[in-house]
Amino acid sequence: FMKGSPAQPLCGFSNAVVQILRLHGVEDYRAHDVLQDPDLRQGIKNYSNWPTIPQVYLNGEFVGGCDILLQMHQNGDLVEELKKLGIRSALLDAEKDQDKK
């Protein structure tokens, strides 16, 4: 759940989430623009008990917002969570390529 779309995020935090996912090679995901539906915007905040947008869900489970996803990216947890979903992070391949040099 974000402001805007992956092709055109409408806030810096939504853009950061999109960029983090792109770094990991995650392209196939659903995004919902909460600016198009005020009820959805408030409803998702109530559902997750999280006050801000964007909100990231992996396999239907709430993970957090931009700050949490950034922290997971920085400490390597996101690679592990993606692996659980059967997604190999593109960063692993980039590291492998660096090691060959």
Side-chain angles (χ1 to χ4, degrees), residues 1 40-57 61-65:
F1 296 87
L40 174 64
R41 184 176 185 175
Q42 187 57 49
I44 199 63
K45 290 178 182 183
N46 294 344
Y47 175 79
S48 65
N49 198 27
W50 192 262
T52 60
I53 303 292
Q55 293 187 13
V56 178
Y57 291 76
E61 185 176 327
F62 177 64
V63 174

Side-chain angles (χ1 to χ4, degrees), residues 88-101:
R88 179 175 170 79
S89 171
L91 291 182
L92 294 175
D93 296 330
E95 288 175 5
K96 198 181 288 185
D97 290 344
Q98 279 294 86
D99 290 344
K100 289 180 184 178
K101 291 180 181 180

Side-chain angles (χ1 to χ4, degrees), residues 54-86:
Q55 293 187 13
V56 178
Y57 291 76
L58 297 177
N59 207 25
E61 185 176 327
F62 177 64
V63 174
C66 177
D67 54 341
I68 301 297
L69 199 68
L70 179 58
Q71 182 180 23
M72 290 175 70
H73 165 68
Q74 291 171 334
N75 68 21
D77 288 347
L78 186 55
V79 170
E80 293 304 313
E81 289 302 315
L82 292 173
K83 187 187 296 184
K84 290 177 188 175
L85 299 173

